[in-house]
Amino acid sequence: MSIKAPKKLIEVALPLDDINVEAAREKSIRQGHPSTLHLWWARRPLAAARAVLFAQMVNDPGGVAGKTKAQADAEREELFQIIRELVLWENTNNEEVLNKARAAIWKSWRETCELNKGQPGFDPEKLPAFHDPFAGGGSIPLEAQRFGLEAYASDLNPVAVLINKAMIEIPPKFAGRKPVGPIPEGEKQGRMESDWPRATGLAEDVRRYGHWMREEAFKRIGHLYPKVEITGEMARDRPDLKGFVGQKLTVIAWLWARTVKSPNPAFSHCDVPLASSFVLSTKKGKEACVEPVVDNDQYRFRVGVGKLGNFDDLKNGTKLSRGANFRCVLSGSPIEPKYIYSEAKSGRLSVRLMAVVAEGQKGRIYLSPTEEMETIAKQSEPTWKPDLDMPENPRWFSPPMYGMKSFGDLFIPRQLVALTTFSDLVQAAREKVVADAKAAGMADEGQGLDAGGMGVTAYGDAVAVYLAFGVDRLSMTGNSLVRWNSVGEKAQHCFGRQALPMLWDYAEPNFFASATGSIIAAIKMVENPLPWMPTQKIGLVCQRDAAIQILSIGKLVSTDPPYYDNIGYADLSDFFYVWLRRSLREIYPALFSTLAVPKAEELVATPYRHGSKQKAEAFFLDGMTRAIHNLAEQAHAGFPVTIYYAFKQSETKESATSSTGWETFLDAVIQAGFGITGTWPMRTEMKTRQISMGTNALASSIVLVCRKRDKNATSISRRDFQRELRETLPNSLETMLGGTQGNSPVA
């Protein structure tokens, strides 16, 4: 029997401008947004995912027999209005809005079931489940779950699998439970014991045990992070410090510059700095900078406040031009890239402390470095570091070109000591959670998360997962590729781009302060989105290869696969994997059974991995075709499949609207057995983010709407196609535009 599948709204029209505005706006939202849970590259906005899923599930009113065009237009506008309300961030958990959307979805589903009465898979009392086989950052499965669907997510990448578990699998298991951890000393209970809806109790425990981890870590390594006492001598030439004399201030960050031996023979015994800027703060009225003070063959760094006469000259530090071109601070001699490469590969790169940032009563206080501060930092002796090598791929990883071969080489000794301490405390915190949960009367079934448990043991595992995410956030801001943002006066994590580029001067945040880069800030970012997660249904997340998985059978499918060669997900994920594996291997032994993230099957066209650009393209086309063919064969026949593709900026210029990646991707979709029934460009990227400034960054998401192509489908000539297009296009455009602004695709 053939399946009768009415056209869905997404195959006819969308209020695209409304979706685009909210999708772009969402990129700047942090409070409660799941993106703060853990970094993932090219995460789709929730607004776009929600709108696409809704329009993929509801029938277009124009396909109902006996309905006038005016009636169809009016009903379509009602669906548009639901979408406009759905995409607003403020309505993320608005049950009134969500219930309207759910009612429309159920209405369409029952209409479709009536058309296919008696057919397997068309039960009017049960919506089909959802599956995303390239789950990545988890936006699409999360929104499917928010609509009340049974959500399945899978990915080959274990970091992505864990992120999805933390979003759709773990929160529903412990919804409505009150926290079991002790309130941190000095705090008061701020909520009534019964007031713990959704995953708010779990979030509170993540906060409490994160605080416990901080206190335990400080007992062990707090001596490596001393406060700085403001002396009379320090304030002698600094009027701004006179009010702090005798006080001990918390350090926010130490600012370092890498050094090489001077190439000038007269100063070849001296380590000179490679600093891209000497400016610390550009805030009006609060300017601060570092001045190198030279004395024969020696120099020291002195911090000055206010906009000094040579402030503009100090903006470039010792840098002469773009790339690794610097000058010797002692002689003025140029330091060329070849020389720096040679020194770095010979292991002769060193570091010098340039400045210290402390916490004042009304903002940041910048201090000149002392020998004692540098000595304390360098006395750290790590007992472990990640020994996994970075790939020899300068497109995404430039540190190996300078002798920094392994991920462990990205961290200075004090950071390694601290990160391993916090990582080890994840398991210690887990044991404490289990003990406290038992004492609170939680049931103990003896099964962990990996075995599907929902009791004491699983709860300990759950809190440990989020605490490990906190350690991952620390590793992002606690490495030697972290910039100091002189505008925001804060440390900027190492993934400003979808790569790990070399950095010459860097910020080392204090893990025990309260600013960006501290454990408190990291835990806050992790627990903050948990209360916003939907918890009505428990999701299921698995590690699967999309080309051979069978989870999609009979399910609604929407997915965001890798974009040809744009992002090296697996290679970049190793940065986090090495820390997650150390913290969580006992909880998820199968997920962390390998030393690194699996790469051989990853569907990315990476020439360095496959030997040539042609081989990489062939690998991508073959693998993506097999993966999408899987979807064409397995997805529920009552719905189209939606597939996201991200364009780069160069692909959206007026002069060229295609690329090797786009053409190869379309080829894979068509060869897989799909016909494309709709395409919707969505502006999902912010133009102001660091990666888009002067780079060929991701600019738009093209959502392909696909139906399985009939094996008996005929082909037509180009002339017949053009004739049919001329006949159908006017009416289709009128329907798409709907008489209102904002329903047409982006040019």
Side-chain angles (χ1 to χ4, degrees), residues 481-511:
L481 302 179
V482 171
R483 299 176 184 276
W484 179 253
N485 183 333
S486 61
V487 178
E489 295 187 286
K490 62 182 180 179
Q492 208 79 36
H493 70 69
C494 61
F495 285 109
R497 294 168 50 200
Q498 292 149 339
L500 286 173
M502 185 62 173
L503 203 63
W504 300 108
D505 48 281
Y506 59 89
E508 179 200 359
N510 181 355
F511 291 156

Side-chain angles (χ1 to χ4, degrees), residues 7 20-21 115 152 174 202 245 261-262 284 306 405 430 468-469 475 509 568 570 624 657 741:
K7 271 193 175 183
N20 284 336
V21 167
L115 293 173
Y152 290 76
F174 306 104
L202 173 61
V245 173
K261 295 293 183 185
S262 173
K284 191 172 182 180
K405 298 293 186 182
R430 177 194 166 280
F469 279 9
S475 70
M624 191 59 72
T657 56
Q741 184 181 9

Side-chain angles (χ1 to χ4, degrees), residues 642-662:
T642 54
I643 306 173
Y644 293 71
Y645 178 86
F647 267 109
K648 287 182 177 181
Q649 287 174 349
S650 65
E651 296 174 274
T652 57
K653 292 178 181 178
E654 292 181 8
S655 59
T657 56
S658 65
S659 74
T660 301
W662 174 235

Side-chain angles (χ1 to χ4, degrees), residues 561-698:
Y563 310 131
Y564 192 60
D565 65 343
N566 292 357
I567 304 170
Y569 298 95
D571 287 333
L572 293 171
S573 294
D574 278 335
F575 178 90
F576 297 116
Y577 184 82
V578 292
W579 295 107
L580 290 171
R581 188 172 189 266
R582 181 180 174 87
S583 300
L584 301 176
R585 191 179 180 187
E586 292 181 18
I587 295 175
Y588 290 110
L591 195 61
F592 294 104
S593 60
T594 56
L595 294 175
V597 172
K599 298 176 180 65
E601 299 86 3
E602 184 190 31
L603 292 179
V604 175
T606 312
Y608 94 90
R609 193 180 294 160
H610 298 285
S612 71
K613 186 175 180 180
Q614 292 73 25
K615 290 180 180 178
E617 182 176 328
F619 169 82
F620 178 84
L621 178 59
D622 176 67
M624 191 59 72
T625 302
R626 286 188 292 113
I628 296 179
H629 177 72
N630 230 4
L631 302 184
E633 293 298 315
Q634 297 180 31
H636 197 290
F639 304 93
V641 169
T642 54
I643 306 173
Y644 293 71
Y645 178 86
F647 267 109
K648 287 182 177 181
Q649 287 174 349
S650 65
E651 296 174 274
T652 57
K653 292 178 181 178
E654 292 181 8
S655 59
T657 56
S658 65
S659 74
T660 301
W662 174 235
E663 292 168 355
T664 305
F665 185 79
L666 281 178
D667 197 14
V669 171
I670 293 168
Q671 286 192 32
F674 269 132
I676 299 172
T677 61
T679 60
W680 296 97
M682 294 190 179
R683 298 290 184 187
T684 59
E685 310 299 325
M686 290 193 303
K687 294 180 180 179
T688 55
R689 73 202 193 287
Q690 183 180 336
I691 185 174
S692 73
M693 298 177 185
T695 65
N696 185 22
L698 299 181

Side-chain angles (χ1 to χ4, degrees), residues 124-155:
E125 301 305 316
K126 185 179 181 181
L127 282 169
F130 168 85
H131 179 226
D132 181 352
F134 293 101
S139 296
I140 306 174
L142 182 73
E143 293 312 308
Q145 190 179 55
R146 203 184 304 278
F147 280 132
L149 301 181
E150 187 179 323
Y152 290 76
S154 61
D155 204 291

